[in-house]
Amino acid sequence: MSQVMYQASVPVFTQMLGGLADVLAKAEAHATARNIEAAALLQARLFPDMFPLLRQVQVACDFAKSVSARLADVDVPAFDDAEQSFADLQTRVAKTLAFVQGLTEAQFAGAAERVIVLRPGTPKERSMNGQHYLLHYGLPQFFFHVTTAYAILRHQGVELGKKDYMGAY
């Protein structure tokens, strides 16, 4: 089962984060070519009550690293949320990829049955096994933020397609 949990997480996060890095590169090139201030894209959002692009990327990275870390039973690395540019976001994606890709399949032994506790010690505390955590919480959350980042940029006129979103597979 550790192979299944590893394969359902690390390669998926790797593929989609690679696609996200490519999407961000196209967005930066789009802004440069059209003389658009990068901040206009980085702070763009689909609706006023949603996170802007910059935060969508940060949260997507947070889910990739935290889900992987919890399943591998290692500490979740802490990243400062200090990104202010496309270059900063590329660095964040690269750090996340390096962490996720540094995990081994052996570290996922017992991951499906491992109890994952979210928001421990708070009224929102919730426990679930690793399989449920990955399939019903972690991956949907991750995909939501990657998809929203893509949608924001597409809405802003960046020429992107499904191939860009999907990354290399």
Side-chain angles (χ1 to χ4, degrees):
M1 183 60 100
S2 64
Q3 180 185 17
V4 172
M5 294 297 289
Y6 177 87
Q7 290 298 325
S9 57
V10 171
V12 174
F13 292 136
T14 298
Q15 174 186 334
M16 299 306 295
L17 287 171
L20 182 58
D22 292 345
V23 163
L24 291 171
K26 284 190 173 193
E28 185 173 27
H30 172 85
T32 301
R34 287 163 181 79
N35 203 24
I36 299 169
E37 286 193 38
L41 291 181
L42 293 168
Q43 292 304 316
R45 55 185 83 216
L46 292 176
F47 198 75
D49 68 349
M50 294 180 74
F51 288 145
L53 173 68
L54 193 136
R55 187 72 183 128
Q56 296 291 347
V57 174
Q58 290 170 331
V59 175
C61 290
D62 288 347
F63 272 101
K65 69 183 172 72
S66 65
V67 170
S68 299
R70 289 182 183 115
L71 292 174
D73 201 23
V74 298
D75 291 336
V76 177
F79 294 170
D80 292 332
D81 291 334
E83 292 81 14
Q84 296 296 315
S85 67
F86 281 107
D88 293 343
L89 288 179
Q90 291 288 11
T91 299
R92 174 115 173 196
V93 171
K95 284 187 338 186
T96 304
L97 275 167
F99 171 75
V100 170
Q101 291 173 326
L103 298 171
T104 66
E105 187 178 311
Q107 290 175 290
F108 285 71
E113 300 81 25
R114 183 172 293 117
V115 175
I116 307 294
V117 180
L118 301 175
R119 298 185 176 129
T122 71
K124 294 183 178 185
E125 182 175 306
R126 184 160 183 206
S127 296
M128 59 193 86
N129 70 35
Q131 182 176 347
H132 188 87
Y133 171 67
L134 175 64
L135 298 177
H136 300 279
Y137 180 78
L139 286 175
Q141 293 280 351
F142 172 74
F143 280 115
F144 174 85
H145 293 286
V146 171
T147 302
T148 303
Y150 170 90
I152 289 168
L153 291 171
R154 189 68 190 97
H155 183 70
Q156 294 297 313
V158 179
E159 293 180 23
L160 300 169
K162 188 188 288 188
K163 184 178 178 184
D164 299 304
Y165 169 81
M166 292 290 294
Y169 57 93

